[in-house]
Amino acid sequence: MKTNVKKDERCLKVGVLGCGIICQAAHLIGCTSAAKQKKSITIPAKICVQDIYYDVTMIDCEAFKGCKKLRELRIGKYVKQIRYGAFQGDSKLRRVTFRGSRLNNVGDAAFRGTFARLRFVMPKAVKDKYQKLLKTASPKKAVYQGE
């Protein structure tokens, strides 16, 4: 079976939503043990599964929990939801960059147990919206930066 998977995408576990005639969304449900050793992870905007491209729209509960070496995270532009505890316990995580403006929901404690001065970088147009969404999910001393 031929796959068009980039090197970084091999470390991610993906669940594809109800495949009817038109199925365009995928959920990130976890990571492999190889991803737990990485210092930087990019969650792509789209992922290819069996030559079909899907938008990555959600990061599931505890998907990256316990990635002790993770320092930097880049989140793709189609992600709409980050669920409870998605990055919980990633103690060295210092920077999270959002590439899109579609985020609508961040679960409680999504970033609990991360670096106390965690820096969130996001588009300027959605800085206020994202800051409100991330307030209950991130450390109290987190820094919010519009770019």
Side-chain angles (χ1 to χ4, degrees):
M1 174 171 65
K2 182 182 173 187
T3 58
N4 298 331
V5 178
K6 294 178 185 174
K7 187 177 180 182
D8 282 347
E9 292 175 6
R10 290 185 200 141
C11 297
L12 306 175
K13 294 180 183 176
V14 178
V16 178
L17 292 178
C19 285
I21 295 173
I22 300 174
C23 178
Q24 298 178 357
H27 288 184
L28 202 58
I29 58 174
C31 61
T32 64
S33 58
K36 291 189 183 262
Q37 302 304 315
K38 289 183 169 256
K39 290 182 179 179
S40 175
I41 292 178
T42 299
I43 296 171
K46 292 182 179 272
I47 197 159
C48 182
V49 178
Q50 296 180 349
D51 293 332
I52 300 172
Y53 284 89
Y54 301 97
D55 296 344
V56 178
T57 59
M58 185 179 82
I59 302 169
D60 213 350
C61 297
E62 301 178 350
F64 289 89
K65 182 179 180 181
C67 292
K68 299 289 184 192
K69 295 183 179 182
L70 184 62
R71 293 178 63 90
E72 185 175 356
L73 176 68
R74 288 173 297 283
I75 298 176
K77 64 182 178 179
Y78 297 119
V79 174
K80 296 177 184 176
Q81 184 178 24
I82 299 173
R83 309 244 349 239
Y84 173 85
F87 302 97
Q88 189 173 352
D90 298 353
S91 56
K92 293 186 179 178
L93 183 60
R94 293 179 180 265
R95 182 181 176 103
V96 178
T97 304
F98 294 95
R99 294 202 170 137
S101 57
R102 298 181 184 194
L103 190 65
N104 292 323
N105 187 3
V106 178
D108 290 342
F111 294 94
R112 180 184 290 156
T114 57
F115 184 64
R117 302 271 306 155
L118 180 61
R119 180 176 301 273
F120 291 103
V121 181
M122 61 212 66
K124 279 184 181 178
V126 292
K127 183 184 174 208
D128 293 335
K129 174 187 169 187
Y130 279 21
Q131 191 168 350
K132 287 176 186 173
L133 287 172
L134 293 163
K135 201 74 167 169
T136 61
S138 59
K140 292 179 181 172
K141 295 182 180 180
V143 177
Y144 304 92
Q145 176 183 343
E147 202 173 66

